[in-house]
Amino acid sequence: MTQPKFERARSAEAKRIRETAILEAAARLATEHGVRAVTLTDIAAAVGMHKSAMLRYFETREEIFLRLAASGWQEWSREARERLGRLTEESADDPEGRFAAAAGVLAGTLAARPLFCDLLAHTPLNLERGVSFDAVRAFKVIAVAEVAAVAAALGEALPLTPHQGGDTVATATAMAGALWQMAAPGTELRRFYQSTPELAHAVVDVEPRLTGILTALLRGYAVHAEA
């Protein structure tokens, strides 16, 4: 199929449209093949641009994915906070059950976002290291704000200090990124694990594993508070 040929954007709106097309193409390719496998050339081809023309909109491949990571933080935070808010109302009479339920909310909303989980692993390893400090600052401002927002929602649902809430969010997102890489969904490595009996333990099911880890963490905070 012939790819569209983009001319250079002549206005702020035209630039925004180009940037959106690039981000959407990168997200689609990364969802299909994984962040690690997608090159700047792949993204350029998907939007019908020459690779050199991409540099008018994004300084590097890493900046494209860092922008997607920032959007991922905002989208995940929005849903996690909404569901934690409902949890506070629904389980008012079951404080103990709220630990597992809150852990399930964090794990479930993360596992439902494969691209975000993939980006969470790549962000500190290479995305933040392949862009300007201005780009890092723009990303960090968003990510830090969303961590604080989800931590505050956790504090409304559970007896946590702000510090404990922040650490819980940090643990949830860090583990989601790591477990997603270990799960290796849709890859030859995953199929190899599944077909090799002695490596069956390497097949990770992200959501229940993460739910268990976070439930233990939250209950540990409660025990510490009661001691």
Side-chain angles (χ1 to χ4, degrees):
M1 183 174 68
T2 303
Q3 297 290 344
K5 299 299 182 184
F6 284 158
E7 297 178 359
R8 184 172 182 174
R10 302 292 180 183
S11 67
E13 178 62 15
K15 182 179 180 182
R16 186 193 65 78
I17 291 172
R18 300 290 192 274
E19 289 179 350
T20 298
I22 292 166
L23 291 168
E24 289 177 348
R28 184 175 64 255
L29 290 169
T31 299
E32 293 173 357
H33 307 292
V35 172
R36 181 173 178 270
V38 180
T39 67
L40 196 62
T41 300
D42 295 330
I43 301 169
V47 293
M49 299 176 68
H50 191 277
K51 185 170 69 172
S52 62
M54 299 275 287
L55 301 179
R56 300 190 186 111
Y57 307 98
F58 295 96
E59 57 191 39
T60 60
R61 163 193 178 276
E62 286 75 17
E63 187 187 9
I64 295 171
F65 286 118
L66 201 60
R67 283 275 296 273
L68 289 174
S71 296
W73 270 106
Q74 292 171 322
E75 292 166 5
W76 172 69
S77 169
R78 190 179 305 116
E79 183 180 0
R81 286 183 283 117
E82 180 182 334
R83 290 183 57 181
L84 287 168
R86 293 201 301 267
L87 176 66
T88 304
E89 301 172 358
E90 294 168 358
S91 59
D93 299 327
D94 184 16
E96 178 65 21
R98 261 187 286 172
F99 294 116
V105 166
L106 296 179
T109 51
L110 285 165
R113 291 171 164 77
L115 177 56
F116 185 45
C117 287
D118 197 6
L119 288 165
L120 284 170
H122 286 280
T123 295
L125 291 175
N126 53 63
L127 300 185
E128 291 181 354
R129 299 167 189 265
V131 298
S132 66
F133 287 151
D134 285 343
V136 172
R137 182 183 298 108
F139 166 75
K140 283 294 192 183
V141 166
I142 291 172
V144 169
E146 299 306 340
V147 168
V150 178
L154 276 171
E156 292 291 327
L158 301 170
L160 298 176
T161 67
H163 183 75
Q164 290 169 338
D167 281 354
T168 301
V169 177
T171 300
T173 51
M175 290 302 302
L179 289 171
W180 195 262
Q181 299 303 316
M182 292 166 62
T187 65
E188 289 298 324
L189 184 59
R190 174 79 175 204
R191 286 185 278 275
F192 171 67
Y193 289 156
Q194 291 172 325
S195 64
T196 308
E198 63 268 32
L199 297 180
H201 66 281
V203 179
V204 176
D205 195 350
V206 175
E207 184 174 349
R209 183 76 65 87
L210 184 55
T211 299
I213 292 169
L214 296 177
T215 300
L217 175 63
L218 292 171
R219 285 178 174 159
Y221 281 144
V223 169
H224 180 73
E226 293 169 0

